[in-house]
């Protein structure tokens, strides 16, 4: 966030539930995580849910969200945020439990947890930030890495298989809220956040929102916002269609 921005300007650009004393945030410039968090925060503001949110962040760049909001927040082991939030919600049925996880954590180590929470129809919202790789550890191949993408652990190009998680969750739980949004379409993303929160607030069970998000550092597009958004809109959104499932 530019140094010359006044506190008032920063405040008005952020959801009310966001903390001011933790800004500028810790993500890289141009990262998609803060855009996902802002969409969540504005949805929480609109629904008046701030004091009921229990926010769980995974290891990975998602953990940099630990002080983004003025929420009760817990940080857990890589891929374990979903079961931790399931347990927390069972212990406190008033809580609006939100798990905030990267695609590596959710779809590799945490895949079994995610799938079983969906099958049990646990009343939590899981938000998965899909940037197509393991970002915090330097850009290794994730279950979402595009076939042929040259990443740190696949220097000759990632293999042909990858996961489409919302499509799988739709299959195992026809009653769940399931959608995929993208950081570059904020009004749509904010609406998806609101609908997902309403779903768990109404005790309708599992809500799952994957968000396509940019990682300019590991996509090696740090010097060009245009290149970042080309990858996001023309490659990422092509492989992973957005919408409600
Ligand atoms: C059990 C465990 N395994 C591995 C790690 C190392 N680790 C930390 S962050 C990370 C990658 C996270 O990637 P992702 O979940 O996609 O989130 P991102 O950083 O892309 O937001 C890994 C493998 C860990 N901390 N704990
Ligand atoms: S490494 Fe990527 S995902 Fe992590 S903060 Fe930087 S830009 Fe964001």
């Amino acid at each position: 966030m530019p140094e010359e921005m006044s506190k008032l300007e920063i405040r008005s650009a952020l959801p009310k539930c966001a903390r001011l004393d933790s800004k500028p945030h810790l993500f890289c410039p141009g990262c998609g995580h803060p855009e996902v968090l802002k969409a969540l925060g504005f949805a929480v503001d609109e629904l008046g849910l701030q004091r009921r949110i229990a926010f769980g962040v995974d290891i990975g760049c998602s953990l940099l969200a630990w002080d983004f909001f003025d929420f009760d927040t817990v940080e857990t082991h890589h891929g374990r945020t979903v079961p931790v939030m399931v347990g927390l919600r069972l212990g406190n049925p008033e809580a609006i439990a939100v798990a905030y996880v990267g695609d590596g954590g959710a779809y590799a180590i945490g895949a079994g947890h995610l799938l079983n929470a969906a099958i049990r129809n646990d009343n939590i919202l899981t938000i998965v930030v899909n940037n197509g790789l393991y970002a915090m550890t330097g850009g290794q191949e994730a279950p979402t890495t595009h076939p042929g993408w040259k990443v740190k652990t696949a220097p000759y190009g990632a293999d042909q298989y990858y996961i489409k998680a919302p499509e799988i969750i739709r299959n195992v739980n026809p009653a769940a809220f399931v959608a995929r949004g993208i950081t570059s379409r904020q009004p749509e993303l904010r609406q998806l956040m609101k609908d997902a929160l309403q779903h768990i607030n109404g005790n309708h069970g599992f809500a799952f929102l994957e968000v396509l998000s940019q990682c300019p550092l590991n996509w090696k597009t740090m010097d060009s916002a245009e290149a970042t958004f080309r990858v996001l809109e023309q490659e990422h959104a092509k492989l992973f269609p957005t919408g409600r499932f």
Side-chain angles (χ1 to χ4, degrees), residues 26-34 61 64 131 135-136 214-218 222:
L26 300 166
F27 301 95
C28 301
C31 175
H33 272 282
C61 291
L64 302 175
N131 52 26
M136 178 166 263
Q214 67 276 20
C215 172
L217 186 70
N218 291 296
M222 248 334 193

Side-chain angles (χ1 to χ4, degrees), residues 22-29 31 34 61 63-68:
S22 62
K23 306 295 174 294
H25 57 65
L26 300 166
F27 301 95
C28 301
C31 175
C61 291
L63 77 79
L64 302 175
W66 73 272
D67 65 353
F68 195 93

Side-chain angles (χ1 to χ4, degrees), residues 27 31 33 58-63 76-80 100-107 109 128-138 140 142-144 215 218:
F27 301 95
C31 175
H33 272 282
D58 208 62
I59 291 173
C61 291
S62 60
L63 77 79
T76 82
H77 284 210
H78 193 49
R80 310 305 189 212
Y100 186 73
V101 196
D103 46 354
Y107 304 153
I109 296 177
V128 176
V129 176
N130 175 355
N131 52 26
L133 36 73
Y134 282 58
M136 178 166 263
T137 41
Q140 294 84 2
T144 48
C215 172
N218 291 296

Side-chain angles (χ1 to χ4, degrees), residues 119-169:
I119 291 168
R120 287 189 306 260
N121 203 29
D122 289 324
N123 206 85
I124 69 163
L125 165 60
T126 299
I127 298 168
V128 176
V129 176
N130 175 355
N131 52 26
L133 36 73
Y134 282 58
M136 178 166 263
T137 41
Q140 294 84 2
E141 186 174 349
T144 48
T145 303
H146 293 220
W149 264 16
K150 292 193 169 91
V151 293
K152 198 160 267 180
T153 48
Y156 301 110
D159 55 47
Q160 61 182 304
Y161 302 112
Y162 58 94
I163 191 167
K164 286 188 165 181
E167 287 84 342
I168 294 173
I169 288 173

Side-chain angles (χ1 to χ4, degrees), residues 16 30 42 47 52 56 90 112 115 149 162 186 190-191 245:
K16 287 194 179 60
F42 283 119
L47 298 172
R52 287 176 58 207
L90 286 173
L115 214 51
W149 264 16
Y162 58 94
Q186 278 292 312
R190 225 182 268 189
Q191 188 61 48
F245 293 80

